[in-house]
């Protein structure tokens, strides 16, 4: 099953843009709305489109996986009216590393999974892979949370961006969103 | 950069089909020729098309990577007039494993890299990932070798298929090819 999704920034979609925040490098320009489409939309007739696919976990051990499954929350919870799309690109030095080096940086050094676990189930997250599609970013990270957990989400981002792993991130921006009343 | 390639079985291309061999499950039907096209050919107007992309190594450690780089051979060597395309699908049990379990099965248990290393540089190989594109196979493995190394290639396949890792393979066939005189 092709799990590719396309994030379409334009005039349509259930998510209203609250703000775009640059983190590293130039952010994409802001559009009023964001739509999330299942499938690989080959032709983008909106302001911009970003594509990514879900895949198997690349660094998670058996024990970490069990903890993630136990604590994880699904997307689409009614109370999770806020969301963020954070596209991330890592530099060539990261991609030249071997699997054991990337794993060590990801968890033993940077505690990426452990930090994320502390914020579950309040901050639901989903990872889309873009690099293998020749996209401008390597990953599209997606988060959903209730307004009362926004401060915790901000803290999570600050902690992750302080890690050794993040020294390999060479482009990143935040698109903060609010669910439209339906 | 999008590294997707499309393998097109039909009447054209530099590779002449010698034979199709079923390994596990139904093989694809044989076409006279195989073409290898850069890019993701969305519409297949030949007998069949299979797509995959190159990516970073998923299991290789630093030390293994160094050995692979030292011994690897490139594709397109004039003496390597034989080739094989072997599409492989692994079952759900494999994909449900965590990274550390897959790594352990791949190398500590099955010695996949170590076995492959013994046949370098004579048997050049390249791996294409298909699963994340929603393709019918998870991997397209491609090999090029000179006629005098065909027996060694057969042996390599026998050894890999005896491993624990291969108990997770639920579909596989071989397309053996010979380069057309140019």
């Amino acid at each position: 099953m092709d799990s590719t999704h396309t994030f379409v920034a334009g005039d349509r979609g259930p998510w209203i843009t609250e703000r775009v925040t640059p983190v590293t490098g130039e952010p994409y320009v802001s559009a009023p709305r964001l739509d999330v489409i299942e499938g690989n939309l080959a032709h983008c007739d909106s302001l911009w489109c970003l594509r990514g696919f879900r895949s198997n976990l690349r660094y998670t051990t058996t024990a970490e996986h069990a903890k993630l499954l136990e604590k994880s929350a699904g997307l689409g919870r009614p109370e999770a009216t806020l969301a963020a799309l954070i596209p991330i690109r890592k530099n060539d030095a990261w991609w030249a590393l071997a699997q054991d080096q990337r794993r060590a940086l990801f968890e033993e050094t940077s505690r990426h999974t452990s930090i994320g676990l502390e914020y579950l189930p309040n901050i639901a997250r989903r990872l889309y892979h873009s690099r293998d599609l020749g996209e401008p970013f390597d990953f599209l990270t997606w988060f959903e949370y209730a307004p009362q957990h926004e401060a915790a989400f901000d803290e999570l981002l600050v902690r992750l961006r302080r890690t050794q792993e993040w020294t390999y991130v060479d482009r990143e921006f935040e698109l903060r969103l609010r669910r439209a009343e339906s």
Side-chain angles (χ1 to χ4, degrees), chain A:
Chain A
M1 189 200 62
D2 186 354
S3 70
T4 303
H5 283 63
T6 307
F7 293 81
V8 182
D11 298 321
R12 279 179 301 196
W15 296 100
I16 299 169
T17 301
E18 298 242 287
R19 62 185 183 281
V20 173
T21 308
V23 180
T24 305
E26 280 293 303
Y28 275 22
V29 290
S30 179
R33 296 266 187 153
L34 184 79
D35 208 356
V36 188
I37 311 274
E38 275 190 50
N40 186 333
L41 211 68
H43 299 284
C44 186
D45 55 5
S46 283
L47 193 58
W48 51 259
C49 296
L50 287 171
R51 297 162 192 82
F53 55 79
R54 301 181 66 184
S55 188
N56 56 298
L57 295 170
R58 304 284 165 83
Y59 302 113
T60 318
T61 64
T62 319
E64 288 158 2
H65 195 191
K67 276 188 232 166
L68 283 170
L69 282 178
E70 187 193 323
K71 284 197 73 180
S72 284
L75 300 186
R77 292 169 298 169
E79 69 275 20
T81 55
L82 300 183
L85 174 69
I86 308 186
I88 289 172
R89 190 180 68 194
K90 285 177 172 171
N91 64 19
D92 292 344
W94 174 265
W95 293 109
L97 294 173
Q99 175 71 23
D100 57 338
Q101 296 172 307
R102 280 182 278 110
R103 157 67 198 185
L105 276 161
F106 183 87
E107 192 58 28
E108 281 71 23
T109 306
S110 302
R111 303 187 61 250
H112 187 132
T113 300
S114 308
I115 292 172
L117 269 169
E118 293 180 39
Y119 297 86
L120 288 176
N122 294 334
I123 314 291
R125 73 184 283 279
R126 180 165 289 174
L127 176 66
Y128 297 87
H129 296 262
S130 295
R131 178 179 173 82
D132 291 321
L133 300 177
E135 286 278 301
F137 290 88
D138 293 339
F139 304 101
L140 306 176
T141 61
W142 176 261
F143 305 87
E144 291 182 10
Y145 44 92
Q148 68 265 32
H149 298 124
E150 189 170 23
F153 178 59
D154 293 341
E155 181 191 88
L156 165 63
L157 295 180
V158 167
R159 290 179 66 189
L160 285 173
R161 289 179 185 144
R162 267 198 216 124
T163 62
Q164 188 86 27
E165 183 194 352
W166 242 257
T167 64
Y168 292 90
V169 172
D170 69 3
R171 191 163 184 195
E172 176 178 7
F173 72 87
E174 286 176 20
L175 177 60
R176 299 286 191 122
L177 304 153
R178 174 172 46 87
R179 195 195 301 272
E181 310 288 336
S182 56

Coordinates of all heavy atoms in Angstrom, one line a residue, chain A residues 1-9 35-44 48-54 126 128-130 133 135 140:
Chain A
M1 N 0.8 -1.2 0.0 CA 0.0 0.0 0.0 C 0.9 1.3 0.0 O 1.8 1.4 0.8 CB -0.9 0.0 1.3 CG -1.9 1.1 1.2 SD -2.5 1.4 2.9 CE -1.0 2.0 3.8
D2 N 0.6 2.1 -0.9 CA 1.3 3.4 -1.0 C 0.7 4.3 0.1 O -0.4 4.7 0.0 CB 1.2 4.0 -2.4 CG 2.0 5.3 -2.6 OD1 2.7 5.7 -1.6 OD2 2.1 5.8 -3.7
S3 N 1.6 4.7 1.0 CA 1.1 5.6 2.1 C 1.4 7.0 1.9 O 1.4 7.8 2.8 CB 1.7 5.1 3.4 OG 3.1 5.4 3.4
T4 N 1.8 7.4 0.7 CA 2.2 8.8 0.4 C 1.0 9.7 0.7 O -0.1 9.5 0.3 CB 2.7 8.9 -1.0 OG1 3.8 8.0 -1.2 CG2 3.2 10.3 -1.3
H5 N 1.3 10.8 1.3 CA 0.4 11.9 1.6 C 1.0 13.2 1.0 O 2.2 13.3 1.0 CB 0.1 12.1 3.1 CG -0.8 11.1 3.6 ND1 -0.5 9.7 3.7 CD2 -2.1 11.2 4.2 CE1 -1.5 9.1 4.3 NE2 -2.4 9.9 4.6
T6 N 0.1 14.1 0.5 CA 0.5 15.4 0.0 C -0.1 16.5 0.9 O -1.3 16.5 1.1 CB 0.1 15.6 -1.4 OG1 0.6 14.4 -2.2 CG2 0.7 16.8 -2.0
F7 N 0.8 17.3 1.4 CA 0.3 18.5 2.2 C 0.2 19.7 1.3 O 1.2 20.1 0.7 CB 1.3 18.8 3.3 CG 1.4 17.7 4.4 CD1 2.1 16.5 4.2 CD2 0.6 17.8 5.6 CE1 2.1 15.5 5.1 CE2 0.6 16.8 6.5 CZ 1.4 15.6 6.3
V8 N -1.0 20.2 1.1 CA -1.3 21.2 0.1 C -1.6 22.5 0.8 O -2.6 22.6 1.5 CB -2.4 20.8 -0.8 CG1 -2.7 21.8 -1.9 CG2 -2.2 19.4 -1.4
A9 N -0.7 23.5 0.6 CA -1.0 24.8 1.2 C -1.7 25.7 0.1 O -1.2 25.9 -1.0 CB 0.4 25.5 1.6
D35 N -4.3 21.5 3.4 CA -5.1 20.3 3.2 C -4.1 19.1 3.2 O -3.0 19.3 2.9 CB -5.8 20.4 1.8 CG -7.1 19.5 1.8 OD1 -7.4 18.9 2.8 OD2 -7.7 19.6 0.8
V36 N -4.6 18.0 3.7 CA -3.8 16.8 3.7 C -4.5 15.8 2.9 O -5.6 15.3 3.2 CB -3.6 16.3 5.2 CG1 -2.6 15.2 5.2 CG2 -3.1 17.4 6.1
I37 N -3.8 15.4 1.8 CA -4.4 14.6 0.8 C -3.8 13.2 0.8 O -2.5 13.1 0.8 CB -4.3 15.2 -0.6 CG1 -4.7 16.6 -0.7 CG2 -5.0 14.3 -1.7 CD1 -6.1 16.9 -0.9
E38 N -4.5 12.1 0.8 CA -3.9 10.8 0.6 C -3.5 10.6 -0.8 O -4.2 10.9 -1.8 CB -4.9 9.7 0.9 CG -5.0 9.4 2.4 CD -5.8 8.2 2.8 OE1 -5.6 7.2 2.1 OE2 -6.7 8.3 3.6
G39 N -2.3 10.2 -1.0 CA -1.8 9.9 -2.3 C -0.7 11.0 -2.7 O -0.5 12.0 -2.0
N40 N 0.0 10.7 -3.8 CA 1.1 11.5 -4.3 C 0.5 12.4 -5.4 O 0.3 12.0 -6.5 CB 2.2 10.6 -4.9 CG 3.4 11.5 -5.3 OD1 3.3 12.6 -5.6 ND2 4.6 10.8 -5.3
L41 N 0.2 13.6 -5.0 CA -0.4 14.6 -6.0 C 0.7 15.1 -6.9 O 1.5 15.9 -6.5 CB -1.0 15.8 -5.1 CG -2.2 16.5 -5.7 CD1 -3.4 15.6 -5.7 CD2 -2.5 17.7 -4.9
A42 N 0.8 14.6 -8.1 CA 1.9 14.9 -9.0 C 1.9 16.4 -9.3 O 3.0 17.0 -9.3 CB 1.8 14.0 -10.2
H43 N 0.8 16.9 -9.6 CA 0.7 18.3 -10.0 C 0.2 19.2 -8.9 O -0.9 19.0 -8.5 CB -0.1 18.5 -11.3 CG 0.5 17.7 -12.5 ND1 1.6 18.1 -13.1 CD2 0.2 16.5 -13.0 CE1 1.9 17.2 -14.1 NE2 1.1 16.2 -14.0
C44 N 1.0 20.1 -8.5 CA 0.6 21.0 -7.4 C 0.0 22.3 -8.0 O 0.8 23.1 -8.6 CB 1.8 21.3 -6.6 SG 1.4 22.3 -5.1
W48 N 2.0 25.8 -2.5 CA 3.1 24.7 -2.5 C 2.5 23.4 -2.0 O 1.4 23.4 -1.4 CB 4.3 25.2 -1.6 CG 4.0 25.6 -0.2 CD1 4.0 26.9 0.2 CD2 3.8 24.8 1.0 NE1 3.8 27.0 1.6 CE2 3.7 25.7 2.1 CE3 3.7 23.5 1.2 CZ2 3.5 25.3 3.4 CZ3 3.5 23.0 2.5 CH2 3.4 23.9 3.6
C49 N 3.2 22.3 -2.3 CA 2.8 21.0 -1.9 C 4.1 20.3 -1.4 O 5.2 20.5 -1.9 CB 2.3 20.2 -3.1 SG 0.8 20.9 -3.8
L50 N 3.9 19.5 -0.3 CA 5.0 18.7 0.2 C 4.5 17.3 0.3 O 3.4 17.1 0.8 CB 5.5 19.2 1.5 CG 6.4 20.5 1.4 CD1 6.6 21.1 2.9 CD2 7.7 20.3 0.7
R51 N 5.3 16.3 -0.1 CA 4.9 14.9 -0.1 C 5.8 14.1 0.8 O 7.0 14.3 1.0 CB 5.1 14.3 -1.5 CG 4.2 15.0 -2.5 CD 4.6 14.8 -4.0 NE 3.9 15.7 -4.9 CZ 4.3 17.0 -5.1 NH1 5.4 17.5 -4.5 NH2 3.6 17.7 -5.9
G52 N 5.2 13.0 1.4 CA 6.0 12.1 2.2 C 5.2 10.8 2.4 O 4.0 10.8 2.2
F53 N 5.9 9.8 2.8 CA 5.2 8.5 3.0 C 5.5 8.0 4.4 O 6.6 8.3 5.0 CB 5.6 7.4 2.0 CG 7.1 7.2 1.9 CD1 7.8 6.4 2.8 CD2 7.8 7.7 0.8 CE1 9.1 6.2 2.6 CE2 9.2 7.5 0.7 CZ 9.8 6.7 1.6
R54 N 4.6 7.3 5.0 CA 4.8 6.6 6.3 C 5.6 5.4 6.0 O 5.6 4.8 4.9 CB 3.5 6.2 6.9 CG 2.6 7.4 7.2 CD 1.3 7.0 7.8 NE 1.6 6.5 9.1 CZ 0.7 6.0 9.9 NH1 -0.6 5.9 9.5 NH2 1.0 5.5 11.1
R126 N 3.2 12.1 13.9 CA 3.3 11.2 12.8 C 4.5 11.7 11.9 O 4.6 12.9 11.7 CB 2.0 11.1 12.0 CG 2.1 10.2 10.8 CD 0.8 9.8 10.2 NE 0.0 9.0 11.1 CZ -1.2 8.6 10.9 NH1 -1.9 9.0 9.8 NH2 -1.9 7.8 11.7
Y128 N 6.5 11.5 8.3 CA 6.4 11.1 6.8 C 7.8 11.3 6.3 O 8.5 12.3 6.6 CB 5.5 12.1 6.1 CG 4.0 12.0 6.5 CD1 3.6 12.7 7.6 CD2 3.1 11.1 5.9 CE1 2.2 12.7 8.0 CE2 1.8 11.0 6.3 CZ 1.4 11.8 7.4 OH 0.1 11.7 7.8
H129 N 8.2 10.3 5.4 CA 9.6 10.4 4.8 C 9.5 11.0 3.4 O 8.6 10.6 2.6 CB 10.1 8.9 4.7 CG 10.3 8.2 6.0 ND1 11.6 8.2 6.5 CD2 9.5 7.6 6.8 CE1 11.5 7.5 7.7 NE2 10.2 7.2 7.9
S130 N 10.3 12.0 3.2 CA 10.3 12.7 1.9 C 11.5 12.5 1.1 O 11.5 12.7 -0.2 CB 10.1 14.2 2.2 OG 8.8 14.4 2.8
L133 N 11.7 10.5 -2.1 CA 10.9 11.0 -3.2 C 11.5 12.2 -3.9 O 10.9 12.7 -4.8 CB 9.5 11.4 -2.7 CG 8.7 10.3 -2.0 CD1 7.4 10.9 -1.4 CD2 8.4 9.2 -2.9
E135 N 12.2 15.1 -2.6 CA 11.5 16.3 -2.1 C 12.6 17.2 -1.5 O 13.7 16.8 -1.2 CB 10.5 15.9 -1.1 CG 9.2 15.2 -1.6 CD 8.3 16.3 -2.1 OE1 7.8 17.1 -1.4 OE2 8.0 16.2 -3.3
L140 N 8.7 15.1 6.9 CA 7.6 16.0 7.3 C 7.1 15.5 8.7 O 6.6 14.3 8.7 CB 6.5 16.0 6.3 CG 6.9 16.2 4.8 CD1 5.7 16.1 3.9 CD2 7.5 17.6 4.7

